[in-house]
Amino acid sequence: MIKTAIVTPDKHFPLHDQKAINVVCKAIKKIKPDIYIDLGDTGEWELFSNHHWKNIERPPDHILIPMLDRSVKVVNNGMNQIDRALNEAGTKERHFVQGNHEVWLDTFAVKSTRPRFLTENALKLKQRGYEYHPYNRKELLKIGKLNFTHGHKTGMHHAKAHLITYGESVMYGHTHDLQRHTHSRLGGTISAWSMGCLKDIEKDEDWLRGNLTNWNHGFAIIDFFPNGNYVVQVVEIIKGKTILWGEEINGNTA
């Protein structure tokens, strides 16, 4: 029996692109996937990062903790949009692959002895029905013959770097751009896919003082054959629109 998965990359709620999220939700309802995979960096989580407080004074806990609680609520609200679409589609198998931004949550939770801020707890992953895959470069989520990780390599040829590192086919986020590298060997062909992002690209270009990015909005549809082979369809989103199965999906409206 062929199974279909939808894979979504970095959303960085609340710095997401709502139009792109709308496209994803509409695609989920249209495709009704058997499997959903979130590649992490689902939240921006800047208040949990030491980088954020590097040049400004961190407020005392009685002020900071309510700020962090509000941040957690906002990211959960973002995830709720996608979960509602998954519920409507009847998608039971769900995976959450922790990103490096979520690691900031865990670091803060351990140092402050506040376990409610651990990724698994903050995002209510058990209640949502997600299998949780902590940030790990050695033990990856694997479905069929394809591995999934948040990603950690950067640079111009990061897809090639990921493929060399793992030696098996792998799909990841992290870099925010679309890229594929394929290598043929005696045992068959392996590939690495970078899946772009669902973050607001235009606002980030403003934050980067007008420097252009090579980021792309996108997600993946994967059909798995019973023997573990698979077919990947990369769906790129352009200004809140895409074409799926010959039909336009417009994310400019919810």
Side-chain angles (χ1 to χ4, degrees):
M1 178 180 176
I2 294 174
K3 289 190 175 183
T4 301
I6 283 185
V7 184
T8 62
D10 310 40
K11 300 156 202 69
H12 292 268
F13 291 116
L15 305 184
H16 61 292
D17 187 289
Q18 186 59 51
K19 300 185 296 297
I21 297 295
N22 290 344
V23 169
V24 168
C25 291
K26 291 181 178 183
I28 289 171
K29 295 174 186 177
K30 180 180 179 66
I31 296 167
K32 295 178 172 55
D34 304 286
I35 305 166
Y36 174 72
I37 302 165
D38 186 321
L39 291 178
D41 278 9
T42 299
E44 178 65 17
W45 306 122
E46 72 274 7
L47 296 181
F48 289 88
S49 168
N50 289 328
H51 303 294
H52 181 80
W53 304 109
K54 186 175 181 179
N55 297 315
I56 57 177
E57 185 177 355
R58 187 191 298 265
D61 280 358
H62 74 277
I63 295 176
L64 177 62
I65 299 305
M67 294 169 63
L68 300 182
D69 284 331
R70 287 192 292 270
S71 177
V72 168
K73 183 177 181 179
V74 166
V75 179
N76 272 276
N77 287 340
M79 285 189 71
N80 289 344
Q81 297 183 64
I82 295 173
D83 281 355
R84 283 194 292 268
L86 293 171
N87 292 340
E88 184 174 329
T91 305
K92 302 297 183 184
E93 184 175 341
R94 307 178 190 186
H95 299 272
F96 186 92
V97 178
Q98 186 185 35
N100 59 294
H101 280 232
E102 276 85 34
V103 172
W104 299 343
L105 280 172
D106 289 7
T107 300
F108 179 86
V110 171
K111 287 185 176 180
S112 66
T113 61
R114 290 182 170 89
R116 75 174 186 272
F117 289 125
L118 291 169
T119 300
E120 190 172 16
N121 298 333
L123 295 179
K124 306 174 184 177
L125 294 179
K126 286 185 179 179
Q127 297 94 311
R128 293 178 181 277
Y130 284 76
E131 184 176 338
Y132 178 46
H133 306 273
Y135 193 82
N136 193 323
R137 300 178 185 178
K138 295 182 179 179
E139 296 182 11
L140 307 186
L141 166 64
K142 188 172 186 179
I143 299 175
K145 298 178 182 179
L146 183 56
N147 295 277
F148 300 89
T149 185
H150 175 68
H152 57 96
K153 301 289 187 181
T154 57
M156 184 178 295
H157 304 294
H158 51 80
K160 181 178 181 180
H162 278 90
L163 196 61
I164 291 172
T165 296
Y166 293 114
E168 295 184 0
S169 292
V170 62
M171 182 173 286
Y172 62 97
H174 188 58
T175 60
H176 294 190
D177 65 340
L178 293 170
Q179 191 177 113
R180 176 180 178 176
H181 183 79
T182 298
H183 176 64
S184 295
R185 56 184 185 175
L186 290 178
T189 298
I190 57 174
S191 296
W193 286 268
S194 169
M195 283 315 308
C197 71
L198 297 167
K199 192 177 183 182
D200 191 320
I201 295 172
E202 293 181 3
K203 284 185 179 179
D204 262 321
E205 287 181 349
D206 291 340
W207 179 76
L208 293 170
R209 300 179 181 177
N211 291 321
L212 298 177
T213 71
N214 65 336
W215 297 353
N216 311 101
H217 289 149
F219 63 97
I221 302 169
I222 309 172
D223 292 307
F224 290 95
F225 295 100
N227 65 358
N229 291 336
Y230 56 87
V231 176
V232 173
Q233 178 183 351
V234 177
V235 183
E236 187 171 4
I237 303 169
I238 306 295
K239 295 188 181 298
K241 294 182 180 181
T242 195
I243 303 293
L244 182 60
W245 297 349
E247 178 185 336
E248 177 184 287
I249 296 182
N250 188 346
N252 291 283
T253 57

